[in-house]
């Protein structure tokens, strides 16, 4: 990645998510930075190719989306990492390097959460740690490495620091022209950045000039004032991302609409979408759209406010079709374990509010075994040491059942495994009748895609009773038609379906 003569979207917490980065690129930014993501946080994620959205997602064990990117931005994307340890930083960098074009280490964040962890601006007091982190990454990572710093009180100390950083082999250095304790109301020390730039051979990216940047032309003025190779824009882009347009800045409301389209396209979560829109509207919060957006409690409400209800509906329908094509089994897996035991895995969770007292899935499994004394149930629950999350495997009648997700407690993990088992053996899991759950689509897919296949085979072999939905009945009828329309499948019987309990059976004719 080339860092010379570039206009760059700065890393900003909660702002630098995928929709804002894509919007900045649309308006003319050359490079975009992610928000700072802590090394351990990215390490505790699973990399998922999201075929529905066309994105790469890094998702934590509790299903929280930590980082999302797509191919549109890859060649211009810098992943900013928070770290205080060279080896942990390297492990995280190796995990992410295939999906980004460069990695930046945050050495300038003055916020308490970062300082307390020995990250951000706290590193400015630990030059040896800085050297170790950067040297380790430069030697072992396949993409360019940079860092972003703040100034030290004495210019001589800042000069020693940037020269040491240059010596680690980084591709560029971003300099915010304020001290750690200074805030945006304090003037940016442009002359200090200029002095440091004159002593360096690597590109210097000047930052901290948002109060001086009111239009695109001001970016060039800031570059000249700081003697830098490139300019990194933060607050000016947060307040109006069209600051990157060489043709001129656009009205904020037009920018909001462009942002909202992108947020819908990549299924950005509602809290972040609302936060970014309110940031764009910071000067117009008292206008009708601003007040309504502040009060909005869902993405649907925001889309109604901005005239995007139909756009959202089309996007949701498109995602539904893509999801069906990408994974008609909704993540259900069935396989043999090393010891030859069958294992069924489903992406389901136990949501406590959906169950009454004494009506948990574990309780239902227990009651089932009481009615059938020969059927035994046992839970094998393990803890993942890095984040203290749990996963449980329930063995019931010689078959193993587990949920895809790692949970925050042993109880949640075991309840989820019980939900899987109950679905497979055809027992209700005790959920309240009027509740709806994210598990519904998964359980429906089990009945229609897996259980029905087993039941069709069973009809051929044993002419036994089976369970399924209307769709399952239709599949069986199609299978019968493929059997040349004769009655060999039913052995002279006929198909009977009771929709009230979803019971499908073969009865004598």
């Amino acid at each position: 990645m080339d860092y010379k003569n570039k206009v760059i979207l700065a890393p900003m917490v909660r702002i630098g998510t995928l929709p804002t980065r894509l919007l900045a690129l649309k308006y003319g930014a050359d490079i975009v930075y992610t928000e700072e993501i802590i090394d351990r946080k990215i390490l505790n994620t699973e990399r998922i190719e999201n075929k529905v959205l066309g994105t790469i997602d890094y998702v934590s064990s509790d299903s929280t989306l930590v980082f999302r990117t797509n191919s549109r931005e890859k060649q211009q994307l810098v992943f900013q990492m928070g770290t205080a340890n060279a080896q942990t930083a390297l492990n995280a960098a190796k995990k992410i390097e295939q999906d980004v074009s460069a990695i930046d280490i945050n050495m300038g964040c003055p916020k308490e959460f970062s300082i307390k962890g020995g990250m951000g601006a706290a590193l400015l007091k630990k030059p040896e740690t800085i050297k170790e982190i950067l040297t380790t990454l430069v030697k072992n990572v396949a993409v360019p490495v940079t860092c972003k710093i703040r100034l030290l009180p004495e210019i001589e100390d800042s000069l020693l620091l940037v020269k040491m950083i240059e010596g680690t082999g980084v591709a560029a250095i971003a300099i915010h022209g304020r001290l750690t304790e200074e805030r945006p109301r304090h003037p940016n020390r442009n002359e200090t950045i200029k002095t440091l730039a004159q002593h360096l051979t690597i590109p210097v990216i000047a930052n901290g000039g948002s109060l001086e940047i009111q239009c695109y032309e001001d970016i060039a003025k800031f570059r000249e004032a700081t003697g830098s190779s490139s300019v990194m824009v933060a607050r000016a882009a947060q307040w109006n991302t069209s600051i990157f347009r060489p043709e001129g800045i656009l009205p904020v409301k037009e920018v909001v609409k462009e942002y909202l389209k992108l947020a819908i396209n990549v299924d950005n979560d509602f809290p972040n979408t609302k936060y970014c829109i309110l940031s764009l509207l910071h000067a117009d919060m008292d206008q009708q759209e601003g007040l309504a957006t502040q009060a909005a409690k869902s993405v649907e409400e925001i889309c109604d406010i901005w005239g995007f209800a139909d756009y959202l509906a089309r996007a949701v329908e498109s995602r539904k079709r893509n999801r069906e094509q990408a994974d008609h089994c909704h993540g259900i897996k069935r396989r043999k374990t090393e010891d030859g035991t069958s294992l069924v895995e489903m992406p389901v969770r136990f949501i406590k509010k959906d169950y009454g007292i004494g009506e948990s899935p574990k309780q239902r499994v227990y009651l089932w075994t009481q009615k059938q004394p020969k059927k035994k149930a046992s839970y094998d629950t393990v803890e993942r040491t890095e984040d203290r999350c749990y996963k449980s495997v329930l063995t019931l009648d010689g078959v193993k059942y587990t949920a895809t997700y790692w949970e925050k407690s042993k109880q949640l993990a075991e309840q989820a495994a019980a939900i899987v088992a109950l679905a497979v053996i055809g027992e209700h899991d005790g959920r309240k009748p009027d509740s709806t759950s994210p598990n519904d689509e998964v359980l429906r897919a089990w009945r229609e895609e897996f259980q029905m296949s087993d039941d069709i085979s069973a009809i051929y072999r044993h002419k036994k009773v089976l369970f399924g939905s209307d769709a399952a009945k239709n599949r069986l009828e199609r299978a019968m038609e493929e059997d040349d329309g004769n009655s060999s499948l039913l052995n002279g019987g006929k198909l009977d379906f009771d929709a009230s309990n979803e019971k499908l059976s073969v009865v004598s004719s």
Side-chain angles (χ1 to χ4, degrees):
M1 180 178 283
D2 182 10
Y3 289 93
K4 296 179 181 178
N5 301 314
K6 297 295 188 288
V7 181
I8 301 168
L9 176 70
M12 291 179 281
V13 175
R14 297 182 70 184
I15 296 295
T17 47
L18 182 56
T20 299
R21 300 196 305 265
L22 293 177
L23 188 60
L25 292 173
K26 174 183 174 68
Y27 285 141
D30 299 305
I31 297 171
V32 291
Y33 277 56
T34 69
E35 60 180 333
E36 178 194 30
I37 299 177
I38 306 305
D39 50 11
R40 291 188 181 277
K41 194 169 185 179
I42 203 69
L43 280 173
N44 291 329
T45 61
E46 178 185 0
R47 181 185 183 274
I48 298 172
E49 293 188 24
N50 189 329
K51 296 178 181 178
V52 174
L53 296 175
T55 59
I56 300 296
D57 298 346
Y58 285 79
V59 182
S60 65
S61 57
D62 63 358
S63 295
T64 300
L65 178 66
V66 174
F67 172 55
R68 171 171 285 166
T69 182
N70 68 12
S71 59
R72 165 66 185 88
E73 66 171 354
K74 181 179 179 182
Q75 301 305 318
Q76 296 157 284
L77 178 62
V78 179
F79 182 86
Q80 192 185 60
M81 185 189 304
T83 187
N85 179 272
Q87 188 57 51
T88 308
L90 177 59
N91 293 341
K94 296 301 291 182
K95 182 168 187 173
I96 204 80
E97 65 179 344
Q98 63 186 307
D99 295 314
V100 302
S101 284
I103 292 170
D104 181 81
I105 302 301
N106 183 354
M107 299 179 177
C109 180
K111 299 296 178 63
E112 185 178 6
F113 79 89
S114 194
I115 298 288
K116 277 188 174 180
M119 301 176 291
L123 287 171
L124 297 176
K125 298 178 181 179
K126 301 177 180 179
E128 288 305 314
T129 302
I130 289 177
K131 184 176 182 179
E132 182 183 8
I133 291 171
L134 295 178
T135 301
T136 299
L137 292 178
V138 169
K139 287 182 177 180
N140 296 286
V141 176
V143 296
V145 176
T146 63
C147 69
K148 183 172 182 288
I149 68 167
R150 281 191 170 229
L151 297 174
L152 296 171
E154 301 298 328
I155 191 170
E156 292 82 5
D157 294 330
S158 292
L159 182 57
L160 288 173
L161 176 65
V162 297
K163 290 297 290 183
M164 181 273 286
I165 289 173
E166 181 181 45
T168 65
V170 294
I173 181 170
I175 303 176
H176 185 118
R178 294 183 178 86
L179 306 182
T180 300
E181 61 273 16
E182 292 179 331
R183 294 297 175 264
R185 66 179 180 274
H186 297 101
N188 203 54
R189 300 170 186 243
N190 295 346
E191 282 297 326
T192 303
I193 297 177
K194 190 171 188 176
T195 299
L196 298 178
Q198 290 170 347
H199 288 81
L200 295 174
T201 58
I202 59 174
V204 170
I205 305 166
N207 180 226
S210 282
L211 296 181
E212 305 169 41
I213 298 173
Q214 305 299 319
C215 62
Y216 183 80
E217 289 73 20
D218 290 339
I219 297 174
K221 294 176 184 177
F222 182 67
R223 179 189 286 121
E224 184 177 353
T226 55
S228 58
S229 301
S230 297
V231 172
M232 179 179 280
V233 184
R235 288 178 183 268
Q238 175 181 343
W239 293 335
N240 191 323
T241 319
S242 70
I243 192 72
F244 295 111
R245 287 183 82 243
E247 303 86 354
I249 203 164
L250 295 171
V252 166
K253 291 182 182 179
E254 185 175 333
V255 176
V256 168
K257 291 178 180 180
E258 288 299 315
Y259 170 85
L260 189 51
K261 282 183 185 177
L262 291 167
I264 292 170
N265 292 346
V266 300
D267 197 19
N268 199 50
D269 69 87
F270 164 67
N272 184 252
T273 296
K274 179 177 177 178
Y275 181 84
C276 291
I277 291 176
L278 291 177
S279 294
L280 290 168
L281 293 170
H282 76 287
D284 300 309
M285 206 74 76
D286 58 347
Q287 295 188 16
Q288 180 180 349
E289 293 92 339
L291 294 172
T293 301
Q294 280 184 289
K297 292 181 171 56
S298 68
V299 69
E300 288 81 7
E301 289 184 22
I302 286 181
C303 287
D304 283 339
I305 293 163
W306 293 94
F308 279 83
D310 289 343
Y311 190 90
L312 175 64
R314 290 194 298 272
V316 170
E317 182 60 30
S318 175
R319 284 199 288 271
K320 182 180 178 181
R321 291 195 302 270
N322 291 343
R323 189 176 293 112
E324 290 170 351
Q325 294 172 2
D327 183 14
H328 65 280
C329 295
H330 292 270
I332 299 170
K333 297 176 183 177
R334 187 170 55 177
R335 56 186 173 84
K336 292 286 187 181
T337 60
E338 291 182 0
D339 62 5
T341 306
S342 294
L343 182 141
V344 179
E345 180 180 37
M346 298 185 194
V348 297
R349 305 199 106 103
F350 173 70
I351 303 171
K352 189 174 182 180
K353 68 178 179 61
D354 291 340
Y355 296 83
I357 297 174
E359 288 291 340
S360 73
K362 282 188 69 177
Q363 181 69 9
R364 286 290 179 125
V365 168
Y366 172 75
L367 292 175
W368 187 80
T369 58
Q370 291 299 105
K371 295 175 184 176
Q372 304 182 66
K374 293 184 179 180
K375 311 293 187 182
K376 302 297 182 183
S378 63
Y379 294 87
D380 180 16
T381 306
V382 296
E383 179 184 7
R384 190 166 59 187
T385 55
E386 57 263 34
D387 58 1
R388 302 196 66 184
C389 287
Y390 297 84
K391 182 177 255 194
S392 182
V393 176
L394 165 59
T395 302
L396 182 64
D397 194 25
V399 179
K400 295 180 179 180
Y401 306 95
T402 189
T404 304
Y405 307 112
W406 289 79
E407 298 289 358
K408 292 294 186 182
S409 73
K410 179 180 178 182
Q411 180 188 29
L412 291 175
E414 292 178 352
Q415 295 284 13
I419 291 173
V420 178
L422 291 165
V424 173
I425 64 177
E427 292 288 318
H428 192 272
D429 65 11
R431 206 175 80 202
K432 296 175 184 176
D434 58 345
S435 65
T436 58
S437 167
N439 298 339
D440 288 343
E441 287 191 13
V442 177
L443 300 179
R444 188 178 301 113
W446 167 260
R447 292 193 300 269
E448 296 177 2
E449 299 296 337
F450 288 84
Q451 182 174 313
M452 194 60 219
S453 297
D454 290 345
D455 291 338
I456 290 173
S457 297
I459 285 288
Y460 272 110
R461 294 194 309 270
H462 308 298
K463 315 300 181 288
K464 66 185 288 188
V465 173
L466 52 108
F467 297 88
S469 62
D470 286 314
K473 176 187 174 185
N474 293 335
R475 288 190 61 185
L476 180 58
E477 289 174 337
R478 288 197 301 272
M480 291 164 56
E481 290 173 3
E482 293 170 2
D483 198 38
D484 297 327
N486 62 46
S487 61
S488 63
L489 177 58
L490 302 181
N491 195 26
K494 67 176 182 178
L495 191 66
D496 181 67
F497 181 70
D498 184 347
S500 64
N501 61 11
E502 294 190 332
K503 184 175 182 180
L504 185 63
S505 60
V506 178
V507 297
S508 299
S509 59

